[in-house]
Amino acid sequence: MESPAAPTVPRPQGTAVRPEIPITTTPPVKRERRWSVAALCIVLAVVAALGAAAAVNSASDRTKVLAVARDVPAGQALTAADVTVAEVSTDSVLSPLQASDKASVLGKRTAIELRRGGLLLASQLAAGTGLGDTRQQVGVLVKRGQAPAGTLAPGDKVLAVTTPAQGDNSSTKDDAATPSSINAVVVSLSRPDATGSVVVNLAVATTDGPVLATRASQGRIALVREPRSN
C-alpha cells in the first residue's frame, strides 16, 4: 500500500528582497597623526636634554665659600668650630669669603654678632685681632658684684681695679687712698656659668699684662666700665 503524497507548498510569488547590511572596516591611521606624535616626542627629548645641560652648568657654577657653623657673639675670636664650608652660586651678590681663606680668618674678632647658617663676609670681621702689636690679652674671672651686670660689651673701655686681698686689715688711711687700677678694653666675654661668673678677656698694655694676670689669679680684680661717650 503506497503512502499518500505530501502536500505541496505553494511558492511565494516574486523574489524576496534581502535587507542590505552595511560592512564596516577599520579606517586607516592618518599619517598626520603619526607625524604629530613623533614631533611631540622630539620636543620632549630636546627639553629634557636642555634641562640636563642647565643642571650640569648650574652645578659647575657653584663655588665653595665660608659659612657660620654656630652663633658667635660680637668681639669673639673665630675658631675652627665656628666656621664651615658651603657651596653657593658664583653670582652671589654678597661676595662671601672663599673656602681657601679659612686659615686666615681664624683668630680674628667678629665686628658683629654672627648667626648660624649665614655666609661669612669680610665686612663682618674686625681688622686684625683687635689687640694690636702693643697690646696683650688677659682673661679675668669676674664673679657677681665685681662688674656691672649685663652691661659689658666688646669694645668697652674699663678700669681693672685691684681689690684688697682676703684677710688684709688695711688702715683707714689706706682705705681712703685711690685704689690701683689698669686701663683695659673688653675683647670678648664668656657666657655666665651656674654661679653667674663670666670670663672677660681684656686687652691691656704690655707693661700691665703680667700685673693684671697676677691679680686676676688671686681674684682681686673688679671692673668699672668707662662712659661709652669717651
Side-chain angles (χ1 to χ4, degrees), residues 84-95:
T84 187
V85 176
E87 290 189 359
V88 297
S89 176
T90 53
D91 61 354
S92 175
V93 297
L94 295 178
S95 300

Side-chain angles (χ1 to χ4, degrees), residues 19-25:
E20 295 183 358
I21 300 176
I23 300 175
T24 58
T25 58

Side-chain angles (χ1 to χ4, degrees), residues 140-177:
V140 178
L141 178 63
V142 179
K143 300 180 180 179
R144 289 179 182 271
Q146 293 181 329
T151 62
L152 290 180
D156 282 345
K157 295 179 180 181
V158 297
L159 289 177
V161 181
T162 303
T163 58
Q166 187 175 5
D168 184 11
N169 296 322
S170 301
S171 63
T172 305
K173 182 178 179 180
D174 293 337
D175 292 339

Side-chain angles (χ1 to χ4, degrees), residues 25-68:
T25 58
T26 303
V29 179
K30 295 182 179 181
R31 292 182 178 272
E32 292 79 0
R33 182 176 300 176
R34 291 182 179 179
W35 279 111
S36 62
V37 174
L40 179 59
C41 293
I42 293 174
V43 171
L44 292 177
V46 172
V47 171
L50 292 177
V56 172
N57 291 334
S58 176
S60 62
D61 289 342
R62 299 178 72 83
T63 183
K64 292 183 178 181
V65 299
L66 296 180
V68 183

